[in-house]
């Protein structure tokens, strides 16, 4: 049964969608033919289900512990911002989306397990190009030309393996071999990243990583996930800010001085413009969600974009961009944009930081997320719409939230 | 009365949300990649335990009364 032939059930309510995201009868694996045999995302964690998915996440989640996140947010990323922004912004104009990608790809590559020079712009641009291809692959269900996307993604897996993953793999394999041979000093050299933990645990059959291609695709998935969404979100945050009175001047200036507000800008942006506005699942077996009977093999569409605008949860003006809004207790300010349940975005706390409570307070241990740091760094330069060049959407996808170019003009230079 | 704190190791994916929300009650077993309740977890403020239960992305945590058999 193809996706088009399946009975379709659409859930639009916040609680019903949350319930669906926790229901083990619903899978992200759509059908065995197109999702396993020749599937461009075969075996990656985001489309795996059940025991394999849990085993993979247990290993990979070790790279998203609070101590790692603090290192990223308080030491590594501020240095990347300092080093790269001055190089990437020449004069008083810039294209925000590619800059967001170049900033994001540095740490995404490090977390995925690629050994790159953080300052090597040609390499960063090469990786961003690959991320762009993988992003088209991850949105294959909304692609305008799926066959062309599949061919391009397959070629790019070969390229990233040859140029980046295989050298990193061989280095880690040598260290792991020395470690296994009792060389304690070698263990100190072992990087902390997704590729390393996959190689460390590869022999565990529960992970289903016998095929080298799966490791390549998994590493590429983390590279893409850590880059594209962050860059799109910071661009959408700028776009929504420009839609406010006086082109968002007051909000942008406040955020430049207040990281907690910059974080709420990002959460509000994610609420209004989720990366995946409609999540899709397949019913492995008949189930009932919030009183709705779902037959086996049904396609279940979870309309997060609608649920994120529920006035009962987000106030009487849910369509308005208001980073200071109050939301119902226990509800995330970003709505369902990071998903929920076992497939909740593993990079949620990297990109979005920790959730903000009802009182908007943030304690000493609070993390604000790398996208908020990016937004604030841009805000400090006083971005305004570029009157000479219009933003361009990414027309290769049906998703309205994706940008290709977003030119801005800066009122101020780099902060001193 | 102390709470009964259970983490189902078959469901846990090691997200560490419980450890973030109630670090006095849960720790990550890095070898297994799953959370386990700490000794005395049942004495931790009940609201924090409920936050951890609600925040678990897989529903692996159950907070019950000590004398009752909490459902897995």
């Amino acid at each position: 049964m193809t996706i088009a032939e399946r009975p379709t059930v659409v859930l639009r309510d916040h609680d019903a969608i949350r319930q669906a995201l926790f229901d083990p009868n619903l899978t992200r694996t759509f059908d065995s033919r197109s999702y396993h045999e020749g599937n461009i995302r075969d075996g990656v964690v985001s489309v795996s289900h059940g025991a394999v998915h849990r085993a993979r996440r247990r290993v990979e989640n070790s790279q998203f512990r609070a101590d790692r996140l603090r290192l990223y947010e308080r030491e590594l990323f501020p240095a990347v911002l300092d080093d790269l922004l001055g190089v990437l912004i020449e004069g008083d104009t810039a294209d925000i989306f590619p800059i967001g990608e170049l900033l994001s790809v540095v740490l995404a590559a490090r977390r995925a397990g690629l050994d790159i020079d953080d300052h090597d712009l040609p390499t960063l641009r090469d990786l961003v190009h690959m991320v762009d291809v993988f992003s088209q692959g991850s949105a294959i269900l909304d692609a305008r030309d799926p066959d062309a996307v599949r061919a391009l993604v397959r070629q790019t897996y070969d390229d990233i393996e040859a140029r980046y993953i295989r050298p990193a793999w061989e280095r880690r394999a040598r260290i792991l071999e020395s470690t296994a041979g009792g060389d304690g000093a070698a263990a100190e050299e072992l990087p902390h990243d997704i590729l390393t933990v996959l190689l460390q645990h590869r022999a565990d059959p529960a992970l289903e990583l016998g095929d080298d291609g799966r490791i390549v695709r998994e590493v590429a998935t983390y590279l893409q996930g850590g880059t594209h969404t962050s860059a799109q979100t910071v661009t959408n945050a700028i776009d929504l800010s420009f839609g406010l009175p006086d082109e968002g001047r007051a909000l942008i200036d406040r955020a430049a001085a207040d990281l907690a507000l910059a974080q709420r800008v990002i959460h509000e942006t994610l609420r209004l413009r989720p990366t995946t506005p409609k999540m899709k699942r397949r019913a492995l077996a008949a189930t009932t969600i919030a009183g709705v009977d779902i037959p086996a093999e049904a396609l279940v569409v979870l309309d997060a974009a609608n649920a994120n605008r529920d006035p009962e949860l987000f106030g009487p003006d849910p369509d308005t961009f208001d980073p200071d809004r109050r939301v119902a207790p226990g509800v995330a300010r970003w709505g369902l944009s990071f998903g929920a349940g076992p497939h909740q975005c593993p990079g949620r706390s990297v990109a979005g930081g920790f959730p903000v409570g009802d009182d908007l307070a943030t304690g000493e241990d609070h993390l604000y997320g790398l996208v908020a740091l990016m937004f604030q760094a841009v805000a400090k330069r006083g971005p305004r719409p570029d009157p000479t060049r219009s933003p361009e959407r990414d027309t290769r996808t049906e998703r309205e939230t994706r940008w290709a170019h977003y030119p801005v003009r800066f009122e101020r230079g780099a902060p001193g | 009365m102390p709470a009964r704190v259970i983490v189902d190791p078959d469901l846990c994916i090691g997200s560490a949300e419980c450890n973030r929300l109630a670090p006095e009650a849960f720790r990550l077993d890095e070898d297994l990649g799953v959370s386990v309740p700490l000794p005395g977890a049942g004495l931790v403020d009940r609201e924090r335990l409920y936050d951890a239960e609600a925040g678990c992305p897989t529903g692996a945590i159950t907070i019950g009364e000590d004398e009752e058999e909490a459902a897995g």
Side-chain angles (χ1 to χ4, degrees):
Chain A
M1 191 184 291
T2 67
I3 288 179
E5 290 166 345
R6 294 181 196 289
T8 300
V9 178
V10 181
L11 299 177
R12 294 190 170 85
D13 175 72
H14 183 278
D15 289 347
I17 294 175
R18 265 190 69 83
Q19 201 176 318
L21 291 169
F22 279 84
D23 191 319
N25 294 305
L26 302 184
T27 175
R28 293 185 75 170
T29 307
F30 287 91
D31 68 74
S32 57
R33 191 176 64 250
S34 67
Y35 262 71
H36 287 302
E37 294 166 20
N39 170 28
I40 51 171
R41 306 192 77 206
D42 169 43
V44 301
V45 65
S46 10
V47 296
S48 63
H49 187 70
V52 177
H53 176 259
R54 285 194 293 276
R56 206 80 70 77
R57 287 290 289 260
R58 278 176 199 144
V59 165
E60 294 167 354
N61 277 338
S62 64
Q63 300 310 302
F64 296 93
R65 300 277 184 261
D67 57 337
R68 299 294 304 162
L69 303 187
R70 284 197 183 89
L71 179 69
Y72 287 138
E73 180 165 321
R74 296 181 182 175
E75 294 177 37
L76 301 180
F77 199 57
V80 169
L81 282 174
D82 279 350
D83 291 348
L84 280 183
L85 261 187
V87 177
L88 295 172
I89 298 177
E90 295 174 10
D92 65 347
T93 60
D95 187 348
I96 289 296
F97 177 60
I99 285 179
E101 285 191 301
L102 287 165
L103 292 172
S104 302
V105 82
V106 177
L107 289 196
R110 192 183 291 219
R111 193 165 46 249
L114 310 185
D115 298 328
I116 59 161
D117 174 354
D118 294 355
H119 300 87
D120 180 358
L121 273 180
T123 293
L124 299 182
R125 290 202 164 97
D126 191 32
L127 287 173
V128 163
H129 168 73
M130 292 177 173
V131 163
D132 180 68
V133 172
F134 297 138
S135 298
Q136 293 179 61
S138 73
I140 190 82
L141 294 177
D142 297 321
R144 294 189 199 275
D145 186 350
D147 287 339
V149 170
R150 285 189 190 96
L152 187 59
V153 169
R154 286 194 191 100
Q155 178 59 51
T156 309
Y157 280 137
D158 290 344
D159 293 344
I160 196 170
E161 178 175 2
R163 293 215 283 276
Y164 300 104
I165 296 179
R166 196 52 69 173
W169 186 324
E170 286 167 0
R171 179 177 156 241
R172 283 155 182 74
R174 281 195 298 274
I175 300 173
L176 285 169
E177 203 177 305
S178 300
T179 308
D183 182 350
E188 297 293 315
E189 289 177 42
L190 208 55
H192 297 278
D193 53 50
I194 296 292
L195 176 58
T196 299
V197 293
L198 294 180
L199 296 177
Q200 271 180 307
H201 296 273
R202 190 180 187 188
D204 180 351
L207 294 172
E208 295 191 357
L209 287 172
D211 170 14
D212 282 8
R214 284 201 171 173
I215 292 185
V216 170
R217 289 189 288 276
E218 193 87 332
V219 170
T221 295
Y222 276 93
L223 177 75
Q224 183 263 332
T227 305
H228 186 82
T229 303
S230 296
Q232 290 290 357
T233 303
V234 78
T235 308
N236 275 310
I238 293 286
D239 182 62
L240 286 165
S241 300
F242 284 171
L244 294 174
D246 195 24
E247 296 169 340
R249 209 174 284 250
L251 176 71
I252 290 170
D253 287 350
R254 278 176 61 211
D258 180 357
L259 187 54
L261 173 61
Q263 183 184 29
R264 297 200 302 277
V265 166
I266 297 308
H267 290 178
E268 182 73 343
T269 299
L270 286 162
R271 182 183 71 81
L272 287 172
R273 300 198 178 161
T275 305
T276 308
K278 289 183 176 158
M279 298 174 271
K280 297 183 179 77
R281 297 288 188 272
R282 175 173 67 97
L284 286 169
T287 187
T288 301
I289 292 175
V292 177
D293 291 331
I294 296 173
E297 291 302 320
L299 174 68
V300 184
V301 178
L302 310 174
D303 189 345
N306 182 75
N308 284 358
R309 295 174 186 235
D310 182 341
E312 298 274 314
L313 305 179
F314 299 102
D317 56 349
D319 297 332
T320 305
F321 177 60
D322 176 11
D324 294 321
R325 76 171 54 251
R326 296 289 168 147
V327 305
V331 173
R333 300 181 69 80
W334 53 71
L336 293 165
S337 296
F338 284 116
H343 278 280
Q344 174 177 281
C345 173
R348 186 195 80 180
S349 298
V350 181
F354 291 159
V356 177
D358 306 338
D359 57 0
L360 307 186
T362 52
E364 201 172 284
D365 288 336
H366 186 77
L367 291 178
Y368 298 89
L370 303 189
V371 188
L373 264 67
M374 245 193 298
F375 181 80
Q376 188 181 49
V378 172
K380 284 178 178 172
R381 288 168 159 81
R384 305 288 173 247
D386 186 333
T388 63
R389 292 182 298 163
S390 298
E392 294 171 31
R393 290 190 188 279
D394 184 347
T395 55
R396 296 165 301 182
T397 172
E398 305 281 350
R399 295 186 188 176
E400 293 286 320
T401 55
R402 291 194 173 190
W403 298 96
H405 297 285
Y406 205 99
V408 300
R409 198 167 275 276
F410 292 111
E411 284 191 341
R412 295 185 286 276
Chain B
M1 179 181 295
R4 186 178 174 85
V5 180
I6 298 174
V7 178
D8 183 338
D10 291 331
L11 286 179
C12 179
I13 58 170
S15 73
E17 277 294 285
C18 55
N19 178 248
R20 182 179 70 78
L21 292 163
E24 329 81 307
F26 301 94
R27 73 172 178 87
L28 257 292
D29 181 323
E30 291 291 354
D31 291 333
L32 298 174
V34 298
S35 288
V36 290
L38 285 164
L43 297 169
V44 170
D45 175 62
R46 195 64 68 97
E47 284 307 309
R48 291 169 72 83
L49 293 177
Y50 287 141
D51 284 348
E53 182 183 39
C56 175
T58 59
I61 296 174
T62 305
I63 308 299
E65 297 304 325
D66 196 26
E67 75 276 9
E68 75 182 24
E69 190 64 34

